[in-house]
């Protein structure tokens, strides 16, 4: 069997790994001109970590992880106003750069990645799906997988325009990595965040004198700015803390996007199937996207191993959907915690965090954020293959 995977990200690479080992012939196309390094910090745990363990990657993940045990909220003068020390059970969460996770996956995938390329046209019939790639190259495969993120090109070609499926969560997000020994030492390896109503800026020190930066801004208009760096300077420039220095140094490869979830009635159409953020984006507010992408890839591979294509694609969707709906709801509830919209909400958050210093209150607080008292870091996908 032959598959073309569009998107060499977390979902696409995980699926490639599994399909190759099942004897499939796999091709991968990736829009970026070269491998996408760095990016932003992610917390990785639960189902995704279970999949990584199954793939034999746990040791590599432990090597590249960052120790994240503490979150501090600071004011404009850089003084701590509240914060949170993670309870020991939450320290199994692996904090790492998205790029490091993708690289560890890519190192284990044999299929060549065709960079600076995407899917330009799709034509399918009962026999196969013929895909035209950038530059006019054509290939015919049994299955086309759209693992090309929340703004998926494959989804647009096979299912229609993104307005039908993408739910905008009223925020813009930006992230980048900066090298600055002084600031990196000042911030240290604890997440420092500054919030004012509608704006959040966060920093975390990385190895090699670097810093991972994250900016979240409440914005009713989903239209992306033509100059994201100028937009950041305009909104965050007078907030104090370390921001004036940071903002003068924002690199050109800044990640900037809308914060979105993806919700669709169906994840496949004939021989085209969507995977990861392309069909199930939960948003950074939910903090499970990479984990869910890997779980979905494993489940899709598991189904493709067993039965005919149509049954496999519908079973994959049936097994993943309930968890995705639950995690998406969790993400929407989390918005006001991560990016409070008013001074009152910031004050309530600070109070809650101060209360978590009381014995046992930290765990109670974290569990209260999840439906049915589920532990945030449990697998959440009880349908993972057990073989
Ligand atoms: C700031 C931020 C913080 C986050 N924090 C967390 C977290 O703490 N924990 C967590 O689990 N998740 C987190 N996420 C979410 C997580 O990164 C995603 O859910 C996850 O990467 C989804 O995997 P994916 O493979 O579907 O998409 P991606 O990893 O984004 O990969 C998609 C790939 O497709 C490529 N591509 C895009 N368009 C095309 C095209 N037209 N043709 C070919 N290739 C294309 C892209 O270049 C990319 O390589 C966060 C996301 C953001 C933005």
């Amino acid at each position: 069997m032959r598959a073309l995977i569009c998107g060499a990200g977390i979902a696409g690479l995980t699926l490639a790994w599994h399909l190759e080992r099942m004897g499939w012939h796999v091709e991968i196309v990736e829009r970026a001109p070269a491998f996408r390094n760095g990016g932003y910090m992610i917390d990785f745990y639960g189902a995704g970590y279970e999949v990584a363990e199954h793939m034999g990657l746990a040791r590599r993940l432990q090597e590249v992880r960052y120790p994240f045990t503490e979150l501090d909220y600071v004011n404009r003068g850089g003084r701590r106003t509240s914060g949170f020390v993670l309870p020991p059970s939450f320290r199994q969460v692996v904090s790492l750069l998205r790029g490091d996770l993708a690289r560890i996956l890519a190192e284990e995938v044999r299929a060549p990645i065709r960079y600076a390329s995407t899917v330009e046209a799709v034509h399918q019939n009962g026999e196969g799906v013929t895909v035209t790639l950038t530059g006019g190259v054509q290939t015919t495969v049994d299955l086309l997988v759209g693992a090309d993120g929340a703004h998926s090109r494959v989804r647009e070609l096979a299912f229609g325009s993104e307005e039908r499926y993408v739910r905008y969560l009223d925020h813009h997000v930006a992230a980048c990595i900066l090298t600055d020994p002084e600031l990196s030492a000042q911030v240290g390896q604890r997440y420092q965040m500054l919030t004012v109503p509608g704006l959040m800026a966060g920093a975390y020190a990385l190895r090699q004198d670097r810093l991972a930066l994250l900016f979240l801004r409440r914005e009713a208009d989903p239209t992306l700015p033509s100059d994201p760096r100028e937009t950041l300077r305009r909104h965050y420039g007078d907030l104090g803390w370390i921001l004036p220095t940071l903002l003068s140094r924002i690199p050109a490869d800044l990640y900037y996007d809308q914060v979105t979830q993806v919700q669709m009635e169906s994840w496949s159409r004939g021989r085209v199937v969507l995977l990861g953020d392309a069909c199930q984006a939960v948003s950074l507010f939910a903090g499970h996207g990479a984990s869910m992408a890997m779980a979905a890839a494993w489940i899709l591979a598991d189904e493709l191993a067993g039965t005919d294509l149509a049954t496999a694609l519908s079973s994959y969707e049936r097994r993943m959907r309930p968890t995705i709906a639950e995690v998406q709801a969790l993400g929407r509830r989390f918005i006001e915690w991560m990016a409070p919209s008013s001074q009152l909400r910031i004050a309530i958050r600070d109070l809650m965090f101060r209360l978590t210093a009381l014995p046992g209150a930290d765990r109670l607080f974290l569990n209260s954020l999840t439906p049915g008292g589920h532990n945030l870091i449990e697998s959440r996908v009880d349908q993972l293959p057990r073989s």
Side-chain angles (χ1 to χ4, degrees):
M1 296 283 273
R2 296 174 65 97
L4 175 74
I5 298 175
C6 181
I10 308 302
L13 292 167
T14 307
L15 182 69
W17 187 98
H18 281 91
L19 291 184
E20 283 172 358
R21 281 153 184 83
M22 285 157 48
W24 283 54
H25 179 273
V26 178
E27 300 169 62
I28 306 174
V29 290
E30 164 60 47
R31 184 184 55 184
F35 179 76
R36 288 179 55 209
N37 248 319
Y40 41 83
M41 285 291 278
I42 63 171
D43 291 328
F44 187 62
Y45 45 87
Y49 194 78
E50 231 181 282
V51 176
E53 275 182 324
H54 161 82
M55 295 167 74
L57 304 178
R59 192 182 52 80
R60 294 285 295 118
L61 293 179
Q62 295 297 335
E63 283 167 7
V64 299
R65 77 182 290 181
Y66 286 92
F68 169 50
T69 54
E70 199 179 333
L71 172 80
D72 284 351
Y73 283 102
V74 297
N75 63 16
R76 291 167 188 252
R79 206 170 51 79
R80 185 181 190 273
T81 56
S82 70
F84 191 74
V85 178
L86 281 181
S89 59
F90 279 76
R91 295 189 189 158
Q92 57 189 278
V93 170
V94 174
S95 296
L96 78 175
L97 289 170
R98 178 207 165 277
D100 284 347
L101 175 58
R103 185 167 37 76
I104 288 170
L105 291 167
E107 282 167 3
E108 299 294 323
V109 168
R110 299 168 203 141
I113 301 173
R114 187 193 287 259
Y115 286 103
S117 180
T118 189
V119 172
E120 301 291 357
V122 177
H123 177 76
Q124 55 174 320
N125 57 35
E127 304 301 303
V129 50
T130 300
V131 182
T132 309
L133 300 176
T134 304
V137 183
Q138 284 199 334
T139 179
T140 298
V141 291
D142 299 289
L143 182 66
L144 168 62
V145 182
D148 46 351
H151 305 292
S152 169
R153 170 86 174 134
V154 172
R155 186 183 63 217
E156 186 182 21
L157 290 169
F159 296 80
S161 70
E162 98 167 33
E163 295 82 68
R164 291 168 60 188
Y165 309 113
V166 172
R167 176 174 179 172
Y168 176 55
L169 296 185
D170 292 324
H171 283 80
H172 287 199
V173 58
C176 62
I177 292 177
L178 201 68
T179 303
D180 187 312
E182 227 167 276
L183 284 179
S184 182
Q186 184 181 335
V187 169
Q189 287 184 335
R190 67 208 148 132
Y191 223 121
Q192 289 209 341
M193 288 190 188
L194 174 85
T195 41
V196 298
L199 291 174
M200 186 282 269
Y204 183 88
L206 303 173
R207 291 179 281 272
Q208 289 140 2
D209 297 331
R210 296 172 303 159
L211 280 167
L213 306 178
L214 179 69
F215 300 89
L216 259 174
R217 180 167 62 85
R218 189 171 284 262
E219 171 61 71
D221 184 358
T223 314
L224 297 180
S226 55
D227 185 348
R229 285 190 288 180
E230 189 281 323
T231 303
L232 288 185
R233 283 193 284 270
R234 183 153 39 84
H235 288 281
Y236 294 85
D238 60 359
L239 292 189
W241 185 38
I242 54 175
L243 288 166
T245 319
L246 289 184
L247 291 167
S248 63
R249 313 263 321 269
I250 297 292
D253 65 351
L254 173 75
Y255 168 90
Y256 193 105
D257 201 359
Q258 311 155 343
V259 181
T260 55
Q261 293 187 336
V262 174
Q263 291 168 329
M264 306 180 70
E265 314 83 65
S266 170
W267 294 354
S268 64
R269 198 157 272 186
R271 293 176 174 274
V272 181
V273 66
L274 301 176
L275 181 67
D277 277 4
C279 60
Q280 63 175 42
V282 292
S283 86
L284 73 111
F285 289 123
H288 283 65
S291 181
M292 291 296 111
M294 288 182 68
W298 193 15
I299 286 177
L300 177 56
D302 184 50
E303 289 296 335
L304 289 169
T307 178
D308 67 279
L309 196 64
T311 312
L313 300 187
S314 73
S315 300
Y316 142 70
E317 187 175 328
R318 184 179 41 73
R319 286 169 67 181
M320 262 326 276
R321 249 184 201 286
T323 306
I324 295 303
E326 189 191 344
V327 175
Q328 288 186 334
L330 167 75
R332 293 193 293 274
R333 270 203 304 282
F334 214 71
I335 297 175
E336 280 294 347
W337 285 104
M338 204 163 162
S341 57
S342 67
Q343 201 53 55
L344 176 66
R345 285 190 177 271
I346 291 175
I348 294 172
R349 182 208 61 199
D350 284 349
L351 180 67
M352 288 289 288
F353 278 129
R354 278 189 216 111
L355 290 176
T356 59
L358 299 173
D362 47 4
R363 201 168 176 87
L364 210 64
F365 166 68
L366 284 167
N367 286 346
S368 75
L369 294 172
T370 63
H374 281 311
N375 187 323
L376 263 174
I377 54 167
E378 273 169 10
S379 163
R380 309 188 77 85
V381 182
D382 53 13
Q383 305 254 14
L384 283 180
R386 293 293 154 201
S387 54

